[in-house]
Amino acid sequence: MSRVSPAVRSLLRQPCLSQWAKTPAMCSTPAWMMPSHQSVRRLATPAAMPSASKENIGVYCNPAHDLWVKESGPSVEEVKSGQALKEGEVTIAIKSTGICGSDIHFWRNGRIGPMIVEHDHILGHESAGEVIAVHPSVNTLQVGDRVAVEPSQICNKCEPCLTGRYNGCLEMRFMSTPPVDGLLRRYVNHSAIWCHKIGDMSYEDGAMLEPLSVSLAGMARANISLGDPVLICGAGPIGLMTLLCCAAAGAEPIVITDIDQGRLDMAKKMCSRVKTYKVQPGVSMEDAGAQISELAGGPLATALECSGVESSIAAAIYSVKFGGKVFVIGVGKPDMQFPFMRLSTQEIDLQFQYRYANTWPRAIRLVQNGVINMKDLVTHRFSLENAVQAFETTAESAKTGAIKVLIQSEV
């Protein structure tokens, strides 16, 4: 006993501890002295059994550009037993998932830059759901919590992680980016630290926090301020989400461009004071820039480019003033040409964005308090079993009028 501290020796003399096996309810046993297997048993008791009844299925694509729904992991048996949970993880019953443009790229093109689909691959990274199982090591979440899933898995060791810019993690595992499977499943195990509580927020709004995070990251890095004249290129889901953010931030005037009149009409519905510009085929980037500037009442301070289209980026460069900024949020082809001398002689800053960091708590506050209302963005809803039709509707948005398509699941 010479190596046992007096405090521990005193505890060991207490009758409560010596009689623990006989009368556990009467003991006040310190948590650190409880046998570790008791915590595991709590997961397996009937009262804590996850409410999972349907088999897990996921939405897959492959290098041949096929798209299908089939069984996925974790299995319903693993979900019920909790055996597949790792330290720090929870199981989420995914209730709502948005289809992102990157999902369409991975399906139809098989890649985005260096990120290539090489095997059967599960898509989806805009999700919210209910916690239905918790590993004993997790004390921040409990069964029944409604959460939005931030799809990042980082190393917490590299310089970007340690300086708070974890979207640049050198060992990032981002769900739905090959080779990491995505969230378009009925059940998913995920690190608790990346599951954000959403309270009574709808699961649809919870799923939309991911694209909102993209826009918030762009707004912050582009330094949009009250009264700034802003151009938004592209009235797709990210462009329209960025419009909501610019309007809430007090940018004025705001101009938004697109080739689709229906999307421009949606922009006007969402923000009555926005000025819309329909991109016409055959118009040069110089002329488009001049027309956009005239519509705004003069050259703009900042352009937020949300389409990733080369000609749109060029038009944005011609629309901003001397010393202005073109901030590219959209994703495009690997190589592009820009009007270099326009950038140079006008001292225009050209910046780019890659995902987001530290945006989810802010996004949740904005939605919960009614500052941002995303409901008009959702145009179509499908069940998980009909996910292929959901993807086809998204891919053919010019015909279907789709803006944001959500896939919903029951457990």
Side-chain angles (χ1 to χ4, degrees):
M1 298 289 288
S2 60
R3 295 185 181 180
V4 179
S5 70
V8 171
R9 191 178 299 118
S10 175
L11 280 171
L12 292 173
R13 291 195 188 105
Q14 293 180 20
C16 176
L17 291 177
S18 64
Q19 299 172 16
W20 172 77
K22 296 180 182 179
T23 57
M26 299 296 293
C27 299
S28 180
T29 310
W32 56 268
M33 296 190 71
M34 293 287 284
S36 60
H37 67 271
Q38 280 212 333
S39 297
V40 177
R41 281 179 183 163
R42 282 203 297 270
L43 263 180
T45 58
M49 289 290 281
S51 56
S53 59
K54 295 185 177 181
E55 291 297 325
N56 198 3
I57 55 176
V59 182
Y60 291 77
C61 68
N62 64 15
H65 313 298
D66 299 317
L67 186 74
W68 72 100
V69 178
K70 73 169 186 178
E71 289 184 7
S72 178
S75 68
V76 68
E77 291 78 16
E78 289 173 326
V79 171
K80 288 182 175 180
S81 68
Q83 296 304 309
L85 278 175
K86 299 176 183 177
E87 185 173 351
E89 287 187 338
V90 297
T91 301
I92 307 141
I94 300 295
K95 298 300 184 96
S96 188
T97 300
I99 298 178
C100 176
S102 65
D103 294 318
I104 302 299
H105 275 287
F106 284 132
W107 164 37
R108 288 201 157 179
N109 302 323
R111 67 183 300 166
I112 298 177
M115 299 166 281
I116 303 171
V117 176
E118 297 179 334
H119 308 284
D120 290 359
H121 177 66
I122 301 176
L123 297 164
H125 58 267
E126 304 176 2
S127 297
E130 179 186 355
V131 175
I132 59 172
V134 179
H135 189 275
S137 61
V138 174
N139 56 22
T140 56
L141 293 172
Q142 60 186 5
V143 171
D145 281 341
R146 301 160 65 90
V147 296
V149 184
E150 185 170 352
S152 305
Q153 300 175 68
I154 64 174
C155 72
N156 275 314
K157 298 181 294 183
C158 66
E159 181 179 341
C161 285
L162 296 177
T163 56
R165 299 183 67 182
Y166 60 82
N167 53 314
C169 174
L170 301 180
E171 299 178 25
M172 170 68 78
R173 290 175 56 81
F174 192 88
M175 302 191 79
S176 83
T177 296
V180 184
D181 282 333
L183 297 171
L184 258 174
R185 289 176 268 177
R186 184 165 279 132
Y187 314 112
V188 173
N189 293 339
H190 196 57
S191 297
I193 59 172
W194 300 113
C195 296
H196 303 274
K197 293 181 184 179
I198 59 173
D200 60 358
M201 183 189 301
S202 72
Y203 290 121
E204 288 194 355
D205 278 348
M208 299 278 279
L209 292 173
E210 200 278 344
L212 176 56
S213 284
V214 173
S215 295
L216 290 176
M219 293 281 294
R221 289 197 57 222
N223 295 315
I224 303 300
S225 300
L226 191 71
D228 280 352
V230 172
L231 168 66
I232 300 169
C233 300
I238 296 299
L240 292 173
M241 194 76 80
T242 302
L243 170 62
L244 290 175
C245 293
C246 285
E252 178 61 30
I254 307 172
V255 178
I256 191 166
T257 70
D258 204 276
I259 60 174
D260 187 325
Q261 186 60 48
R263 292 194 167 193
L264 294 176
D265 293 342
M266 175 62 76
K268 198 72 174 176
K269 176 184 176 182
M270 294 171 61
C271 177
S272 60
R273 62 186 174 87
V274 70
K275 302 176 186 295
T276 62
Y277 177 85
K278 185 176 181 181
V279 178
Q280 300 292 341
V283 177
S284 69
M285 54 191 178
E286 295 92 341
D287 288 344
Q291 292 168 10
I292 291 168
S293 296
E294 183 178 0
L295 179 63
L300 295 123
T302 305
L304 299 170
E305 211 300 314
C306 301
S307 74
V309 175
E310 182 177 307
S311 59
S312 180
I313 297 172
I317 292 170
Y318 277 99
S319 71
V320 297
K321 66 181 183 180
F322 182 91
K325 177 183 294 185
V326 174
F327 190 89
V328 183
I329 299 173
V331 175
K333 61 185 183 180
D335 299 299
M336 296 188 187
Q337 291 185 333
F338 301 131
F340 174 82
M341 287 309 298
R342 167 73 181 181
L343 290 166
S344 176
T345 60
Q346 296 298 301
E347 292 191 358
I348 296 169
D349 293 336
L350 180 61
Q351 289 184 271
F352 298 86
Q353 173 179 337
Y354 188 56
R355 296 176 181 151
Y356 40 71
N358 307 304
T359 53
W360 292 70
R362 181 183 302 178
I364 291 169
R365 291 194 298 271
L366 290 170
V367 175
Q368 284 182 331
N369 292 286
V371 179
I372 298 292
N373 185 341
M374 308 177 288
K375 294 184 181 356
D376 285 341
L377 288 169
V378 181
T379 56
H380 296 75
R381 298 169 178 85
F382 294 87
S383 67
L384 182 58
E385 291 81 359
N386 293 321
V388 172
Q389 185 181 353
F391 271 76
E392 291 170 344
T393 300
T394 304
E396 301 298 329
S397 60
K399 297 178 181 178
T400 63
I403 294 178
K404 177 55 72 174
V405 177
L406 295 181
I407 295 175
Q408 298 169 326
S409 176
E410 297 295 329
V411 299

